[in-house]
Amino acid sequence: MSQVAVSLASRLGEFVGAGRVLTDPASLAAYEVDGRRPSAALLPGSVAEIAEILRFASAERLAVVPVGGKTHLHIGMPPHRYDLALDVSGMNRVLAYEPHDLTLGVEPGITYAELDRSLREKGQFLPLSPPFAERATLGGIVAAAADTPLRYAHGTTRDFLLGVEFVTGEGIISKSGGRVVKNVTGYDLHKLLIGSLGTLAVMTRLNFRTFPLPPSQKMFVAAFTEQSDAFAFCRAIMKSPLQPRIVDVLNPGAARLFVIEAAGHEAVLERHARDLAAMSQDAHAAEFIALDANQRDHLFGCLCEFSRIAFGVTSAATIFRVATVPSAMPALLAEMHTLAERHAFDCAILIRALGVVYLALLPPHDPKMYPQLLNCSRELTTLCTTSGAAPMIELCPLEIKNALSIWPPVGSEHEIAQRLKRVFDPQGILSPGRFRGGI
């Protein structure tokens, strides 16, 4: 270790204790982000320690990347600079929980699986269901705006995140929102932190609304050979009085598998089973089945782990997440398929809650294929933006990320985003370059 590194580690140890500053190469390898490694990793145990660290980093112009379970570090562009990893996984307490009020306050380092087990003991849950649930932390889930199969019924994180306490890039401790559902004063500044990838602030407390567990649930699958029939079924569900909690479409090849889950009392499940069977028949489904509990759990896991499964097929998997409106989806999907076929790439598609498309390009893991993969990715981004959709590349080989921005082209909102960055992080030390437009 150089004398400069020794001096830095000594200074950082003043804030968190020498035993919670990691500088050895083996430990720092776990904090690598797109080929970049920090000079040190810090494990703070309190909000005050985080504030001290960020004040020091701001004064010394040291770039800081907040880290939790490390399950979403692949999202975003490579950081322009990366001096310190701020590991908040040790801050993993439940700070407040009022089951009768359906409210919850937690530190950012608690994992979803640990929290889910605690909530289920009280007959409640938080509708996030992220991939890598045993490792994914609540702070990382919010910072990455991670999606969930339960989106159709419960919305996204912004719909049940009540408030956040955070530390700005200058080390100022602040908060937005509240701890209860009936909180109507002030601006929802905390919504800006959702999906910000740690570029605006370090979250230190998250307040959520929780939900009662349904008494029972039932998952159904309808198979279609024609895309038009699958979307006819989709429109029938949207126009019906049914209120399913999951509406996803898997398109691994020629078949379109429509996944629907109902939740509630037995009468509700029976009504869904009866009406969905009739609607699927009217839409010319090749098959309609109800899954047993084991089958349901397996398929639900696949819906949660779509990206991980695609990456398991090939490490060159390139996964797009595209937000669009249901009316534009049929034409966009047809053009996506045509583009993938023109480049001779296998692909898999997941349509979530009839509003978000996940497209996984599955080329062979061969560096010689990267130029073609780059061209295909660039064409897909152009196709989506010209169609009025909002694309981003959630996962891809580093070679692609170094040659092509994973974000869509910036628009008129970029100036506002830059101004917000200057307010929250004047010195630009928090995850510099990872967000859209180089923020």
Side-chain angles (χ1 to χ4, degrees):
M1 188 185 301
S2 68
Q3 188 61 39
V4 173
V6 171
S7 176
L8 176 62
S10 177
R11 289 290 307 277
L12 295 172
E14 297 174 6
F15 306 125
V16 297
R20 289 186 285 149
V21 179
L22 307 178
T23 56
D24 61 290
S27 297
L28 296 180
Y31 296 94
E32 185 172 293
V33 179
D34 291 329
R36 279 82 163 166
R37 291 187 185 181
S39 299
L42 294 88
L43 287 74
S46 69
V47 179
E49 289 180 354
I50 291 176
E52 287 289 344
I53 291 166
L54 292 182
R55 282 194 283 269
F56 173 75
S58 179
E60 299 295 329
R61 304 296 194 273
L62 298 174
V64 180
V65 175
V67 177
K70 310 180 186 71
T71 59
H72 295 96
L73 290 179
H74 61 274
I75 299 177
M77 291 297 289
H80 291 164
R81 297 179 295 118
Y82 187 13
D83 300 305
L84 305 176
L86 189 61
D87 187 341
V88 299
S89 60
M91 297 176 63
N92 55 9
R93 297 175 298 161
V94 175
L95 299 173
Y97 179 34
E98 299 294 340
H100 297 295
D101 294 333
L102 299 175
T103 57
L104 170 76
V106 298
E107 290 184 315
I110 191 169
T111 65
Y112 176 79
E114 180 183 353
L115 179 61
D116 187 56
R117 286 189 286 268
S118 298
L119 291 178
R120 286 179 181 274
E121 292 177 0
K122 299 292 185 178
Q124 297 180 5
F125 76 110
L126 199 59
L128 290 171
S129 303
F132 307 102
E134 292 290 342
R135 291 169 45 211
T137 61
L138 269 294
I141 293 168
V142 173
D147 212 347
T148 166
L150 301 174
R151 177 184 181 128
Y152 189 85
H154 297 286
T156 61
T157 308
R158 67 187 303 109
D159 296 299
F160 44 87
L161 181 65
L162 302 177
V164 175
E165 294 178 6
F166 57 89
V167 183
T168 69
E170 292 180 293
I172 299 173
I173 301 171
S174 188
K175 63 181 179 180
S176 170
R179 302 180 185 179
V180 295
V181 175
K182 292 183 178 180
N183 184 69
V184 295
T185 60
Y187 295 102
D188 280 347
L189 290 178
H190 58 283
K191 301 293 178 69
L192 295 171
L193 303 181
I194 301 173
S196 65
L197 301 181
T199 57
L200 296 179
V202 178
M203 291 175 279
T204 55
R205 176 182 175 131
L206 302 147
N207 299 317
F208 291 98
R209 173 194 174 191
T210 61
F211 296 82
L213 280 169
S216 55
Q217 59 200 18
K218 193 69 175 177
M219 184 174 282
F220 309 91
V221 176
F224 296 88
T225 56
E226 297 296 331
Q227 178 175 287
S228 58
D229 293 337
F231 278 100
F233 183 55
C234 157
R235 289 190 294 271
I237 293 176
M238 295 177 69
K239 292 178 181 179
S240 77
L242 300 181
Q243 295 182 327
R245 69 198 303 236
I246 296 176
V247 179
D248 281 3
V249 184
L250 281 167
N251 185 191
R256 283 85 178 171
L257 304 179
F258 220 108
V259 182
I260 316 100
E261 181 168 271
H265 295 285
E266 283 303 318
V268 174
L269 303 189
E270 291 172 4
R271 170 71 184 275
H272 276 77
R274 184 173 62 253
D275 290 4
L276 288 171
M279 286 188 283
S280 67
Q281 186 175 11
D282 292 342
H284 310 293
E287 190 174 8
F288 177 82
I289 60 172
L291 304 185
D292 62 32
N294 291 333
Q295 292 170 328
R296 180 266 173 198
D297 291 345
H298 176 73
L299 183 52
F300 183 78
C302 291
L303 295 176
C304 295
E305 304 280 354
F306 177 80
S307 296
R308 181 186 63 79
I309 293 171
F311 188 73
V313 173
T314 168
S315 58
T318 298
I319 301 174
F320 281 75
R321 182 169 73 183
V322 183
T324 186
V325 295
S327 60
M329 204 170 286
L332 181 60
L333 287 173
E335 293 187 74
M336 284 179 167
H337 273 293
T338 300
L339 185 56
E341 290 173 356
R342 187 164 70 244
H343 287 273
F345 289 151
D346 291 333
C347 69
I349 292 176
L350 168 65
I351 304 171
R352 174 150 292 159
L354 310 178
V356 178
V357 178
Y358 288 85
L359 170 68
L361 297 173
L362 305 172
H365 180 56
D366 182 354
K368 294 180 181 179
M369 297 295 296
Y370 286 168
Q372 188 175 347
L373 179 60
L374 175 61
N375 290 336
C376 185
S377 299
R378 186 176 286 120
E379 291 175 33
L380 268 171
T381 299
T382 301
L383 168 64
C384 292
T385 52
T386 55
S387 301
M392 70 163 287
I393 302 175
E394 190 174 85
L395 178 68
C396 66
L398 183 58
E399 291 82 355
I400 302 301
K401 192 178 286 191
N402 286 335
L404 174 70
S405 174
I406 66 156
W407 305 103
V410 296
S412 58
E413 78 287 345
H414 185 56
E415 181 182 350
I416 298 175
Q418 288 180 314
R419 289 165 60 188
L420 286 169
K421 174 69 171 177
R422 288 194 292 269
V423 169
F424 279 85
D425 180 24
Q427 302 300 332
I429 65 165
L430 292 174
S431 302
R434 299 205 71 211
F435 198 66
R436 187 178 179 185
I439 291 176

